[in-house]
Amino acid sequence: MAYDIDMIKKVYNQIAERVDKAREIVGKPLTLSEKILYAHLWDGEPTTAYKRATDYVNFAPDRIACQDATAQMALLQFMQAGKKKVEVPTTVHCDHLIQAKQGAAKDLKRANETSNEVFDFLESVSNKYGIGFWKPGAGIIHQVVLENYAFPGGMMIGTDSHTVNAGGLGMVAIGVGGADAVDVMAGMPWELKFPKLIGVKLTGELNGWTASKDVILKVAGILTVKGGTGAIIEYFGPGAKAMSCTGKGTICNMGAEVGATTSTFGYDDSMERFLRATNRDDVADAANEVREYLTGDDEVYANPEQYFDEVIEIDLSTLKPHLNGPFTPDLATPISEMSEKAQKNGWPIQVDWGLIGSCTNSSYEDLTRAASIAKQAVDKNIKAKSDFGINPGSEQIRYTAERDGLLQIFEDLDATIFTNACGPCIGQWDRSDRKGEEKNTIVHSFNRNFSKRADGNPNTHAFVGSPEMVAAIAISGRLDFDPTRDKLINENGEEVMLEEPKGLELPPKGFDVEDPGYVAPRKDGSSVEVKVSPTSERLQLLTPFEPWDGKNITGAKLLIKAHGKCTTDHISMAGPWLRFRGHLDNISNNCLIGAVNAFNMKTNFVKSQLTGEYGGVPDTQREYKAAGIPTVVVGDHNYGEGSSREHAAMEPRHLGVYVVLVKSFARIHETNLKKQGMLGITFANETDYDLIQEDDTFNFIDLESFAPGKPLTIEVVHADGSKDVIKANHTYNENQIEWYKEGSALNLIKKMNA
């Protein structure tokens, strides 16, 4: 039986009435995305036809999921909200703080020793506030959610950008910052600008070496890392129906890499099979009763150009396997073209590691397809030329895969089976084979491949592919290996060729597990004491940010003008810094240390206008804060691309940065800045970015009349006394301006609950 079945049945009991009313108001057939959005309005039954990319709308999500790295700050904020219990079903999953090094047992033991303070905090705070807790080793948050909580037609938010994975089971699941989650935990509406809609029609059927991963690798190449910003991507067509549920999850998962709000598929037979295989017959039965409301209307899919803002069509029968990268997930290359492209760009051909797993590709089906390639290598006496690492998606998958002999196949190939956790995907990898900043290549089935992400080395060229393609390339040891045509030499000196991968959608003998790793909260947690030591290096109770004084910001100094791509990894690195995710002051020592200074093209090296000397970004900013001087961060396009980590907004706020002025924002980061009481604005004229000089001072002329839709005027004073007056746009609505006035959205919640 499913968790929270009464909540799910409530959603289904009201979906028909709400969708029918929405269709009447909108006056046309509806996409699946629209059905779910209109069925989850905070005010209940629809009364208004919302304008895409224009109207801010309040929603009532069904549930919340948090991973351990982001949950710390989210729950530290919730502790200030004045609530005795979360208002919607919420779970915490411990998957980020486990470093991959020696193998599952040793790595998990070490994590429980080094991060016990954080795990104890999360378990106790979950107990106190009625939150379900998944122990370290239970699995990767998004795979665990797909197996236990996701349901067709539902809406959920999660404090991780890859929450969108649940779209593989027909949800609208959206990654948010912790402050957004706190709103919903506290029983308040969740605000989102009504998304645009991108339709992706899938025809044909996957075959040969082409996998579901190749669909999103192709889409990423089409849309780029910002092409999906402000949009929901909805997949449909016969190719979509022919795909497995976990394959759909893979595609939705990497929608985060094109900036999409989320991605989703309509409810179909593969989803029903997955629900029943994961012991949720009750959900499948309930979904079948409202089946027509859990997918887009027939007219929409018959004439998609009339209902979507953009339509992409992909023939799965002719789609080729891809590798994307390095350094960005949208640099798409068909395997057949990799040899030429790698030579042209000077990418290292030797592959040192093949890594299979992450929230994107760690399902049972993924493991079977990769294992079918590994088994051939063993049987044909081929020795893998690269190291192998495997991260199963959950304890249920690991246990079942071990029972069915899949893990033994990888071990026969000398692979290391890591913990059921994120591991190398989010930089939790103690890589022993390389030291320093040597140029090298790895391939993995993850979702992101930004510089330094997996191992901290800026010269590691990471390429993203399907699990079976990663297996084949790792076995060959060459980036330019094309298993559709290239042969390998085995240990006997014979030429052999790998056959096409074969996989199983679901385990023939069913899933099994002894201890899934779930800890239910107490029904009454009022007596639970949540302890945070005042001397802790890992955890720190929060001090509320100061409200705005209502005056223009004047005399603000430039902290850094970031050049080019500036992701959340650049603003607040993961890896070894994950240990400080619950301690705002300590983690602020990584603030913007990965951003490239446009004036010297170096990282963590900026000029102080107080001393004229150069130093690290956090140190320089702390000096400005001590002197009471406001500062401005200037950035390029899609600033804040990447994860949902609100630390990238909280750190500059904590250190005294007042304004982030950029060409454009990634959606989640812009919202996170607003939630934390920051002024996040964009150049009205993008070329004004070029006017900003290293010694500039900023004076805001009309911030005192801050209002929705009204651009702001800024006087930029240069070191020689000359001035430029520029305009900046913003997307703050009235409610968000109240967050700014109060100093943060949390301050406003506390005020309302006082």
Side-chain angles (χ1 to χ4, degrees):
M1 184 172 129
Y3 293 96
D4 308 305
I5 186 62
D6 291 338
M7 175 271 287
I8 295 171
K9 288 182 176 179
K10 181 181 177 183
V11 172
Y12 289 162
N13 287 339
Q14 64 193 22
I15 195 168
E17 181 181 356
R18 292 188 177 187
V19 169
D20 289 345
K21 185 65 175 178
R23 197 184 287 112
E24 175 188 326
I25 290 170
V26 174
K28 60 181 181 180
L30 298 177
T31 65
L32 167 64
S33 305
E34 290 172 309
K35 289 181 180 182
I36 298 175
L37 292 170
Y38 278 108
H40 285 84
L41 296 175
W42 177 258
D43 293 329
E45 190 171 288
T47 57
T48 304
Y50 293 108
K51 295 179 182 177
R52 299 175 191 172
T54 300
D55 292 339
Y56 281 96
V57 183
N58 285 331
F59 292 100
D62 301 313
R63 65 176 314 111
I64 300 165
C66 308
Q67 40 93 338
D68 49 354
T70 53
Q72 295 170 66
M73 197 58 69
L75 294 176
L76 284 165
Q77 291 179 83
F78 181 74
M79 288 168 65
Q80 295 188 49
K83 289 286 185 176
K84 294 182 178 180
K85 194 173 183 179
V86 292
E87 297 285 342
V88 299
T90 303
T91 52
V92 167
H93 305 256
C94 296
D95 62 355
H96 274 55
L97 299 178
I98 305 169
Q99 189 180 56
K101 184 177 182 180
Q102 297 170 285
K106 291 181 179 179
D107 292 349
L108 182 58
K109 182 177 183 294
R110 187 172 64 255
N112 278 317
E113 291 170 351
T114 59
S115 294
N116 65 307
E117 178 186 13
V118 173
F119 296 147
D120 288 347
F121 164 75
L122 292 173
E123 185 170 5
S124 66
V125 78
S126 296
N127 234 340
K128 185 172 184 66
Y129 294 109
I131 297 168
F133 180 75
W134 290 80
K135 298 183 295 185
I140 305 171
I141 175 174
H142 310 304
Q143 186 63 38
V144 173
V145 166
L146 197 71
E147 293 175 20
N148 294 277
Y149 298 112
F151 66 98
M155 173 184 274
M156 71 176 289
I157 59 172
T159 60
D160 188 285
S161 56
H162 293 107
T163 300
V164 295
N165 188 80
L169 202 39
M171 295 195 86
V172 162
I174 301 174
V176 300
D180 274 4
V182 170
D183 282 355
V184 180
M185 288 181 198
M188 299 179 67
W190 175 63
E191 182 186 73
L192 177 72
K193 185 179 285 186
F194 205 83
K196 295 181 293 182
L197 299 176
I198 298 174
V200 179
K201 182 178 182 180
L202 301 179
T203 60
E205 193 166 344
L206 294 170
N207 63 88
W209 282 89
T210 307
S212 57
K213 184 65 164 274
D214 295 303
V215 175
I216 187 57
L217 295 180
K218 176 72 173 179
V219 169
I222 294 170
L223 290 176
T224 78
V225 291
K226 60 181 180 179
T229 302
I232 292 179
I233 302 176
E234 185 170 324
Y235 293 84
F236 62 94
K241 291 182 178 179
M243 201 177 292
S244 70
C245 178
T246 52
K248 293 177 173 74
T250 291
I251 293 170
C252 292
N253 182 291
M254 267 195 75
E257 273 49 75
V258 298
T261 301
T262 192
S263 305
T264 195
F265 286 76
Y267 179 57
D268 60 18
D269 292 346
S270 71
M271 294 185 190
E272 180 179 353
R273 290 194 296 271
F274 187 76
L275 286 169
R276 297 193 187 283
T278 51
N279 297 314
R280 289 178 286 173
D281 287 325
D282 45 359
V283 178
D285 292 341
N288 286 341
E289 292 181 10
V290 290
R291 198 178 185 101
E292 66 182 283
Y293 293 96
L294 304 179
T295 190
D297 287 335
D298 291 341
E299 299 94 321
V300 170
Y301 295 156
N303 301 287
E305 291 80 6
Q306 297 178 25
Y307 302 98
F308 291 97
D309 298 290
E310 180 179 354
V311 177
I312 297 168
E313 185 167 342
I314 298 174
D315 180 1
L316 301 183
S317 300
T318 60
L319 179 65
K320 302 299 182 184
H322 280 63
L323 276 184
N324 284 25
F327 306 126
T328 186
D330 61 343
L331 183 55
T333 304
I335 290 293
S336 58
E337 300 173 17
M338 180 55 76
S339 179
E340 179 183 353
K341 198 166 181 179
Q343 290 180 29
K344 180 181 178 181
N345 289 282
W347 298 335
I349 296 297
Q350 177 185 329
V351 174
D352 291 337
W353 273 87
L355 298 159
I356 295 171
S358 91
C359 60
T360 322
N361 280 108
S362 56
S363 69
Y364 185 86
E365 181 182 34
D366 290 326
L367 292 183
T368 62
R369 288 179 67 84
S372 75
I373 303 303
K375 184 72 163 60
Q376 291 182 55
V378 173
D379 292 346
K380 295 180 180 184
N381 200 22
I382 305 170
K383 185 175 181 180
K385 304 300 189 295
S386 310
D387 289 327
F388 251 118
I390 312 291
N391 285 84
S394 69
E395 175 58 15
Q396 178 169 260
I397 289 172
R398 188 211 64 78
Y399 189 94
T400 305
E402 184 176 55
R403 179 201 67 189
D404 294 349
L406 299 177
L407 298 187
Q408 187 60 53
I409 293 171
F410 291 116
E411 290 174 333
D412 289 344
L413 208 60
D414 294 327
T416 302
I417 310 299
F418 293 127
T419 315
N420 315 317
C422 302
C425 183
I426 47 90
Q428 283 285 50
W429 185 23
D430 187 352
R431 184 179 174 184
S432 58
D433 66 317
R434 285 194 172 267
K435 305 295 182 185
E437 297 187 352
E438 300 170 64
K439 192 174 179 180
N440 72 102
T441 288
I442 64 174
V443 293
H444 59 58
S445 69
F446 307 160
N447 40 49
R448 291 192 177 136
N449 56 350
F450 302 141
S451 174
K452 300 184 181 181
R453 181 165 178 96
D455 61 3
N457 180 357
N459 295 314
T460 292
H461 293 55
F463 294 84
V464 183
S466 68
E468 52 266 50
M469 188 56 64
V470 169
I473 289 175
I475 288 166
S476 75
R478 293 185 60 86
L479 182 65
D480 58 357
F481 177 68
D482 181 354
T484 68
R485 63 187 183 191
D486 295 342
K487 295 180 179 179
L488 296 169
I489 306 297
N490 69 7
E491 293 298 288
N492 302 327
E494 302 164 330
E495 279 193 344
V496 295
M497 195 165 182
L498 295 174
E499 298 164 17
E500 294 175 353
K502 293 181 172 62
L504 297 170
E505 178 183 4
L506 296 164
K509 293 186 281 186
F511 285 109
D512 199 5
V513 66
E514 288 184 349
D515 176 12
Y518 177 69
V519 179
R522 294 185 189 178
K523 289 186 177 180
D524 181 3
S526 58
S527 63
V528 176
E529 183 179 358
V530 179
K531 294 182 180 180
V532 176
S533 169
T535 60
S536 173
E537 291 186 347
R538 303 288 300 271
L539 297 164
Q540 179 188 46
L541 294 175
L542 294 175
T543 301
F545 293 132
E546 291 293 322
W548 177 42
D549 62 7
K551 300 178 182 178
N552 283 319
I553 299 170
T554 58
K557 303 297 183 181
L558 177 71
L559 173 62
I560 186 172
K561 178 180 176 180
H563 170 80
K565 186 185 283 284
C566 191
T567 72
T568 49
D569 277 16
H570 295 89
I571 305 168
S572 175
M573 289 184 179
W577 290 94
L578 283 171
R579 66 190 305 269
F580 297 122
R581 283 285 180 88
H583 197 294
L584 182 55
D585 193 58
N586 282 348
I587 199 170
S588 292
N589 288 322
N590 78 2
C591 183
L592 285 158
I593 63 175
V596 176
N597 183 352
F599 300 108
N600 55 31
M601 301 308 289
K602 295 180 179 180
T603 58
N604 202 28
F605 198 63
V606 296
K607 184 177 181 180
S608 167
Q609 294 188 47
L610 294 175
T611 65
E613 297 179 355
Y614 286 83
V617 180
D619 294 337
T620 302
Q621 179 54 38
R622 287 185 188 275
E623 291 172 0
Y624 282 129
K625 182 178 181 180
I629 297 174
T631 54
V632 176
V633 169
V634 171
D636 212 317
H637 276 299
N638 209 30
Y639 183 88
E641 168 194 343
S643 77
S644 70
R645 69 190 66 149
E646 62 188 338
H647 299 75
M650 295 185 79
E651 290 174 30
R653 177 76 164 108
H654 172 70
L655 292 179
V657 176
Y658 279 47
V659 182
V660 179
L661 170 62
V662 300
K663 291 181 182 178
S664 65
F665 283 108
R667 175 190 63 84
I668 299 177
H669 187 65
E670 182 180 21
T671 300
N672 285 345
L673 289 170
K674 292 177 179 180
K675 288 278 185 177
Q676 300 304 333
M678 292 279 281
L679 193 61
I681 54 180
T682 56
F683 290 102
N685 182 353
E686 289 182 3
T687 59
D688 287 346
Y689 170 90
D690 300 323
L691 298 175
I692 307 303
Q693 299 175 22
E694 194 169 26
D695 294 298
D696 280 350
T697 299
F698 300 80
N699 298 314
F700 282 72
I701 306 301
D702 49 10
L703 182 60
E704 290 177 335
S705 56
F706 192 20
K710 181 182 178 184
L712 295 171
T713 308
I714 309 169
E715 178 187 69
V716 184
V717 184
H718 307 302
D720 62 2
S722 63
K723 301 176 181 178
D724 284 298
V725 176
I726 66 174
K727 290 285 187 180
N729 295 328
H730 69 85
T731 60
Y732 289 75
N733 59 28
E734 290 182 2
N735 190 46
Q736 293 167 348
I737 289 175
E738 288 302 310
W739 301 343
Y740 182 72
K741 289 179 178 179
E742 292 295 333
S744 71
L746 182 58
N747 286 354
L748 188 60
I749 292 176
K750 289 172 63 179
K751 191 174 183 179
M752 294 171 66
N753 286 331

